[in-house]
Amino acid sequence: MQDTMGYVHSVETGGTVDGPGLRYIVFTSGCPLRCLYCHNPDTLKLKAGKQSSAYELLKDISTYRTYFETGGGGLTVSGGEPMAQKEFLKTLLWGCNQMGVHTTVDTSGYLHANLDDETIDMADLYLLDIKSWVPETYKKVTGVEVGPTLEFAKRLEKMEKDIWIRFVLVPGLTDAPENVEGVAKFVSELGNVKRVDVLPFHKMGEHKWQSMGKAYQLKDTREPSAEETEAAKETFRKYGLDVH
């Protein structure tokens, strides 16, 4: 496969939360969603990142293979939205497949229709962000429709690709009982979901919005309490899901 160029915001080595084991994380630039709580608003524009060679990244990734083999880690492509640069994503996944390195894609799945099954199948695991269930809430949170994300979840089930679901709990926005219940029920009906991460809302990205001269619309929104987060987790657990 020929080398491809892509726009990369940053690279993190030694990540431990974006997939199993020790992860080499490539944060790509460009995203069609406009999530109100986005903690990486500096990745939204495609050309906000630095143009990088997939082959050069793969060369660097290869130096971590011993660590991956020992700790069960691998590559995670995050963003931004990795599917916004489908050829770049495909080359990274292909290269890791050739090296026997585990691959994970962190995505909303919104752009999945642009990717062929061959590319989708190259990833071992998908971290699928389901921001909300209620259509109106999803649109308010992201600026786009929920349909493509749910379609992608079903596509992954059909292809028997492992999924970790991610759901961000935001007081007054995504925490309505019918919203949490809707996500939990949908996820429980998929046969390929290995775990669910309920992530409490935080404001770690607020300063980035301010530095970019943009209004942070959730500045007055509080973080959920430990009790509220646990209650949301229990909603998922009652459907038999492995929740973290």
Side-chain angles (χ1 to χ4, degrees):
M1 182 174 287
Q2 289 187 337
D3 191 11
T4 53
M5 302 297 291
Y7 290 95
V8 174
H9 171 266
S10 57
V11 169
E12 177 185 337
T13 58
T16 57
V17 296
D18 296 307
L22 189 73
R23 311 304 297 182
Y24 185 108
I25 310 171
V26 177
F27 293 94
T28 59
S29 296
C31 183
L33 276 63
R34 293 296 180 265
C35 298
L36 297 180
Y37 51 70
C38 180
H39 58 275
N40 287 321
D42 46 342
T43 68
L44 296 180
K45 292 184 178 180
L46 180 66
K47 295 185 179 180
K50 176 185 177 182
Q51 201 164 28
S52 304
S53 154
Y55 275 15
E56 287 302 313
L57 282 169
L58 288 167
K59 202 176 295 183
D60 193 35
I61 291 167
S62 71
T63 65
Y64 291 85
R65 288 172 68 182
T66 301
Y67 296 100
F68 298 152
E69 290 166 4
T70 303
L75 168 72
T76 295
V77 189
S78 186
E81 170 51 65
M83 291 184 180
Q85 301 185 62
K86 62 180 183 179
E87 295 302 328
F88 185 62
L89 173 63
K90 184 172 186 176
T91 304
L92 288 175
L93 295 177
W94 172 84
C96 284
N97 285 180
Q98 296 301 305
M99 292 188 284
V101 172
H102 183 276
T103 52
T104 297
V105 177
D106 182 7
T107 179
S108 72
Y110 183 73
L111 298 175
H112 80 95
N114 295 333
L115 275 66
D116 57 25
D117 284 352
E118 181 186 15
T119 303
I120 298 296
D121 196 44
M122 287 181 181
D124 297 301
L125 172 69
Y126 283 88
L127 308 182
L128 182 60
D129 302 309
I130 301 185
K131 320 284 185 176
S132 286
W133 173 256
V134 178
E136 294 79 13
T137 303
Y138 194 93
K139 184 70 179 286
K140 182 177 181 180
V141 171
T142 68
V144 300
E145 305 296 332
V146 67
T149 293
L150 304 184
E151 290 165 8
F152 184 54
K154 293 177 181 177
R155 182 179 178 185
L156 290 177
E157 180 186 32
K158 186 176 181 181
M159 295 179 67
E160 300 182 343
K161 305 303 295 184
D162 289 350
I163 299 177
W164 288 8
I165 296 293
R166 288 179 159 183
F167 173 74
V168 180
L169 186 70
V170 187
L173 187 61
T174 69
D175 64 340
E178 66 271 22
N179 193 50
V180 180
E181 187 94 22
V183 175
K185 184 175 185 299
F186 173 78
V187 169
S188 71
E189 293 170 351
L190 299 170
N192 56 332
V193 174
K194 301 306 177 181
R195 65 181 270 177
V196 174
D197 290 307
V198 175
L199 308 173
F201 163 72
H202 61 71
K203 298 183 181 180
M204 290 173 62
E206 183 175 4
H207 70 283
K208 292 184 181 180
W209 288 83
Q210 294 172 343
S211 66
M212 294 170 67
K214 294 185 176 183
Y216 185 64
Q217 296 184 42
L218 301 183
K219 62 184 179 65
D220 296 324
T221 300
R222 64 177 177 82
E223 296 182 1
S225 66
E227 292 75 17
E228 289 169 323
T229 302
E230 187 58 30
K233 289 182 178 181
E234 279 303 316
T235 299
F236 283 90
R237 287 193 186 107
K238 79 177 184 180
Y239 282 94
L241 295 159
D242 179 21
V243 185
H244 295 256

